[in-house]
Amino acid sequence: MDIQQAQEQIQTLRELLIQYGHEYYVLDNPSVPDSEYDQKLQELRKLEEEFPELITADSPTQRVGAEPLDAFQKVQHNVPMLSLGNAFNEQDLRDFARRASQGTDKPLSYVCELKIDGLAISLTYENGRFVRGATRGDGTTGEDITSNLRTIRSIPLSIKEKETIEVRGEAFMPHKSFLALNKNRDENGEEPFANPRNAAAGSLRQLDPKIAAKRNLDIFLYGVGEWEAGNLQSHSERLKYLKELGFKTNPEWKKCSSIEEVIEYVEYWATERPNLSYEIDGIVIKVDSLEQQEELGFTAKNPRWAIAYKFPAEEVVTKLTDVELS
Ligand SMILES: NC(=O)c1c(N)nc(OC2CCCC2)nc1O[C@@H]1CCC[C@@H]1O
């Protein structure tokens, strides 16, 4: 086969594998069996081995980098990655809504999102290609963990539009991955992780991407940082657009037109929470209109247009039946 034919075959295989990967890791709705995906990926690896000059950074074969890093570089967030004020009960939520309504003369609507208990992450795409990923750090300075984030299969290495955009979300370890990891660590006589959040943080702090790649992390995107071409009017439109671009967004978000509706949503998920396949530690409530977010602005470190309702910490009761009676 000549290089021209190889290029065409490689392109076809890449497009197929990117589509299959999106269906499986982002939409959780595969159209082909795993064996088909694995067979096509093997074919692509072989072709790229034969024609290494045709390998590109966004090829599905390039998720796990070869060399461990010596250290993580520092990254400046030009748009600060904020933290959230907390609400602990219904009255706190009503106070939040009252303060917000005093800061604007137009009626307010909100977006409620599950508060994923993971690590806040920033992903930068240039002309549609994933070029850098970073931790939130202290909100203005984070760490460049691009090589580890490339191993998260639900993070697209390139997106459909040639956008230059910085998107933000929460990297996390699903319950299934957490239980498997701790079982494995227990078998190897290693200390188990206390919770999925620590396990996710520990995994993304690994200097060797081959270790991060084995931890089966995932991500939900929920916001935008730097975006010159950004011209959307509301947070809900942004969530829809992130999904259109091929990003994994959490499907449980809901637009609410009153604080009553917000309280209903919070009460629903307070009981529904144990049925999720990942850890949440609350609900994030945001004013939907970006213009009103601007109007409301920030306190010293938190937006006035968003709040985190925190669920009471779950007591971890080890039932006698769970404990091996040694
Ligand atoms: N953990 C989350 O699921 C989450 C979310 N769904 N939405 C936001 O929006 C915030 C970000 C800055 C202003 C609003 N923040 C979240 O988590 C924050 C990020 C940093 C501290 C919290 O973990």
Side-chain angles (χ1 to χ4, degrees):
M1 165 186 345
D2 67 25
I3 191 151
Q4 182 55 40
Q5 290 163 317
Q7 175 60 48
E8 280 156 24
Q9 273 206 31
I10 282 177
Q11 196 49 36
T12 308
L13 283 167
R14 275 189 196 145
E15 279 159 17
L16 258 182
L17 286 161
I18 287 169
Q19 176 57 29
Y20 291 162
H22 181 74
E23 291 163 353
Y24 187 90
Y25 294 107
V26 175
L27 306 180
D28 201 12
N29 181 22
S31 65
V32 296
D34 299 8
S35 53
E36 166 92 9
Y37 183 89
D38 298 341
Q39 186 243 320
K40 289 278 184 294
L41 188 62
Q42 203 45 42
E43 256 180 72
L44 178 58
R45 278 195 210 286
K46 266 178 55 203
L47 269 173
E48 288 181 348
E49 252 164 55
E50 213 179 314
F51 298 89
E53 66 276 30
L54 297 179
I55 294 176
T56 57
D58 66 343
S59 171
T61 60
Q62 304 303 305
R63 281 211 173 261
V64 187
E67 299 311 312
L69 299 173
D70 299 327
F72 294 119
Q73 303 302 314
K74 292 292 180 202
V75 163
Q76 293 308 319
H77 299 300
N78 299 329
V79 174
M81 291 183 73
L82 303 164
S83 60
L84 288 163
N86 292 330
F88 297 97
N89 53 50
E90 190 176 311
Q91 190 52 49
D92 290 346
L93 288 175
R94 293 184 187 286
D95 294 347
F96 162 70
R98 181 176 34 74
R99 288 193 302 273
S101 62
Q102 284 162 353
T104 172
D105 52 14
K106 287 180 278 308
L108 279 169
S109 62
Y110 305 94
V111 171
C112 290
E113 298 169 21
L114 301 186
K115 187 172 183 297
I116 312 302
D117 192 6
L119 234 68
I121 293 292
S122 153
L123 305 176
T124 299
Y125 289 74
E126 281 170 3
N127 299 318
R129 284 194 159 181
F130 179 45
V131 293
R132 194 188 69 197
T135 62
R136 176 172 162 267
D138 64 6
T140 44
T141 307
E143 290 186 316
D144 183 328
I145 55 165
T146 307
S147 49
N148 284 338
L149 290 170
R150 287 176 64 89
T151 71
I152 299 182
R153 297 315 194 271
S154 50
I155 292 179
L157 298 180
S158 56
I159 53 179
K160 292 173 193 133
E161 303 292 325
K162 295 210 172 317
E163 287 266 16
T164 294
I165 183 171
E166 181 208 355
V167 296
R168 292 167 173 190
E170 202 85 2
F172 64 96
M173 185 177 286
H175 286 148
K176 196 159 154 275
S177 312
F178 176 66
L179 293 172
L181 174 63
N182 267 356
K183 183 168 181 291
N184 185 279
R185 289 175 73 90
D186 185 43
E187 283 159 4
N188 298 342
E190 289 169 285
E191 194 66 16
F193 283 103
N195 55 56
R197 195 212 158 284
N198 290 5
S203 303
L204 288 173
R205 254 204 305 275
Q206 290 294 325
L207 289 166
D208 181 355
K210 286 191 281 304
I211 299 177
K214 293 197 180 79
R215 298 292 174 82
N216 296 316
L217 296 172
D218 203 341
I219 194 165
F220 286 120
L221 281 308
Y222 54 64
V224 172
E226 292 185 88
W227 185 20
E228 304 114 48
N231 60 359
L232 298 176
Q233 304 304 311
S234 71
H235 178 68
S236 46
E237 284 170 334
R238 280 180 167 178
L239 289 175
K240 289 173 194 160
Y241 187 60
L242 286 175
K243 182 172 181 175
E244 269 169 48
L245 284 180
F247 290 110
K248 187 166 188 173
T249 55
N250 188 280
E252 309 304 346
W253 68 269
K254 183 170 187 268
K255 189 166 169 178
C256 296
S257 53
S258 71
I259 200 64
E260 304 309 327
E261 249 192 285
V262 167
I263 291 166
E264 269 169 45
Y265 181 94
V266 166
E267 285 168 350
Y268 173 79
W269 284 104
T271 52
E272 195 55 29
R273 177 180 175 198
N275 304 327
L276 289 166
S277 61
Y278 46 85
E279 205 71 24
I280 64 171
D281 61 344
I283 302 293
V284 182
I285 298 106
K286 304 171 184 178
V287 166
D288 190 33
S289 152
L290 297 180
E291 184 188 355
Q292 290 180 307
Q293 289 187 7
E294 279 287 302
E295 269 186 283
L296 290 167
F298 311 91
T299 66
K301 58 186 174 61
N302 299 332
R304 287 199 186 88
W305 45 265
I307 198 155
Y309 176 87
K310 303 285 283 193
F311 291 133
E314 275 177 328
E315 310 82 54
V316 180
V317 180
T318 309
K319 296 187 291 299
L320 275 183
T321 47
D322 289 358
V323 175
E324 302 275 310
L325 293 176
S326 47

